[in-house]
Amino acid sequence: MWYIINFVFGALFGSFLNVIIYRSVEGISIINPPRSFCPICKTTLKWYDNIPILSYIFLRGKCRYCGAKIPLRYLIVELVPAFGFLIHSLFFSLPVTLILNSLLFITIAVIYIDLKIMMIPDFAWLIVGFAAILDIFLHGELFLRVIAFSTVLIILLILKFRYKDGMGSGDIFLMSAFSLLLSIPLAFYMMVLSSILGILFAIFKKSKIIPFGPFISLSGYFLYMFSIIFLMR
Ligand SMILES: [Zn+2]
């Protein structure tokens, strides 16, 4: 039963993520209008057009009203958290599952939003911050975390003021929140890993501007998971 709840909640959160991603990128309010609508014909969707995963499959990826193609992204953003939450609940304890679920949630949001509009939404680092507080109750290490947090923050602030075009404030908030969650030494691995991934991305894309958010979130999410598995926390 617990596994099914996680799967369903993952799909529901994925559906909510689609709304957040679409509205953040378009610059419209997340809560207004309250009902979802087709981005092409603007028809307000009925509840049965909006069932996570199932509606996309039944409508064969098309709007019921105007026939416009719904991007495959909508299905992926519902499937990944559904299976992700399920896998977390199969292998980890309840509090760790909740932390991993929230990390996966913000990772998907940051990947789509930061790559599209080069901005990290504030809820991302706030959620990682809450996850860190929960993890302090689970695994302690308050002192080490404060050292990891302040060291990472100082390094990032120095980099920001030396190289003006380097990191955005969103990157700094997100990386600092993750270092509070990951503690020593993982916070430093996260810093190195996300920088390497970001630079590789920039080389591959031949881009001068690096959206670091996706790589910070991915590194933080996987390193937290590895820390639970291999350090037997
Ligand atoms: Zn439509």
Side-chain angles (χ1 to χ4, degrees):
M1 191 61 192
W2 171 237
Y3 309 131
I4 299 167
I5 290 172
N6 269 277
F7 184 85
V8 171
F9 264 86
L12 288 170
F13 272 100
S15 184
F16 180 48
L17 257 179
N18 272 318
V19 176
I20 294 177
I21 292 168
Y22 173 73
R23 295 188 178 200
S24 302
V25 169
E26 296 293 317
I28 47 181
S29 161
I30 304 253
I31 45 170
N32 194 29
R35 301 286 307 269
S36 286
F37 54 88
C38 167
I40 306 299
C41 64
K42 312 288 177 199
T43 310
T44 303
L45 300 180
K46 298 274 191 314
W47 65 269
Y48 50 79
D49 299 324
N50 225 350
I51 305 165
I53 302 170
L54 296 179
S55 288
Y56 190 97
I57 295 168
F58 285 135
L59 294 170
R60 295 207 186 83
K62 283 184 188 139
C63 169
R64 187 195 298 277
Y65 308 98
C66 68
K69 227 169 151 353
I70 308 166
L72 191 61
R73 185 201 89 205
Y74 282 83
L75 183 62
I76 297 169
V77 169
E78 289 167 353
L79 283 176
V80 172
F83 283 100
F85 284 23
L86 173 71
I87 291 167
H88 297 155
S89 68
L90 284 172
F91 294 103
F92 301 97
S93 67
L94 169 72
V96 170
T97 296
L98 293 177
I99 292 175
L100 285 170
N101 288 356
S102 50
L103 296 184
L104 181 59
F105 180 81
I106 68 108
T107 300
I108 300 167
V110 169
I111 288 176
Y112 278 103
I113 296 170
D114 200 15
L115 284 181
K116 197 91 184 174
I117 57 170
M118 298 294 288
M119 188 211 66
I120 295 173
D122 282 331
F123 70 82
W125 63 266
L126 281 168
I127 288 177
V128 179
F130 278 117
I133 293 168
L134 177 56
D135 196 62
I136 290 170
F137 285 107
L138 291 178
H139 303 116
E141 295 192 357
L142 184 57
F143 182 65
L144 282 178
R145 288 169 201 263
V146 172
I147 294 180
F149 174 80
S150 19
T151 316
V152 167
L153 188 59
I154 290 166
I155 295 172
L156 294 179
L157 287 175
I158 292 171
L159 286 174
K160 181 168 173 65
F161 288 108
R162 284 203 68 154
Y163 310 98
K164 285 226 162 76
D165 294 332
M167 302 209 113
S169 344
D171 299 321
I172 296 181
F173 285 142
L174 189 60
M175 226 187 231
S176 307
F178 264 114
S179 52
L180 196 62
L181 172 70
L182 292 168
S183 185
I184 290 175
L186 289 164
F188 304 121
Y189 299 164
M190 179 265 305
M191 237 182 141
V192 174
L193 185 60
S194 56
S195 308
I196 294 173
L197 291 174
I199 291 163
L200 285 177
F201 175 84
I203 295 169
F204 183 71
K205 279 280 201 179
K206 297 189 174 68
S207 154
K208 275 198 177 140
I209 315 158
I210 306 171
F212 267 115
F215 308 108
I216 300 169
S217 314
L218 279 172
S219 314
Y221 167 62
F222 283 112
L223 282 170
Y224 180 76
M225 195 188 288
F226 286 132
S227 82
I228 302 290
I229 297 169
F230 294 109
L231 306 177
M232 307 289 199
R233 289 167 104 177

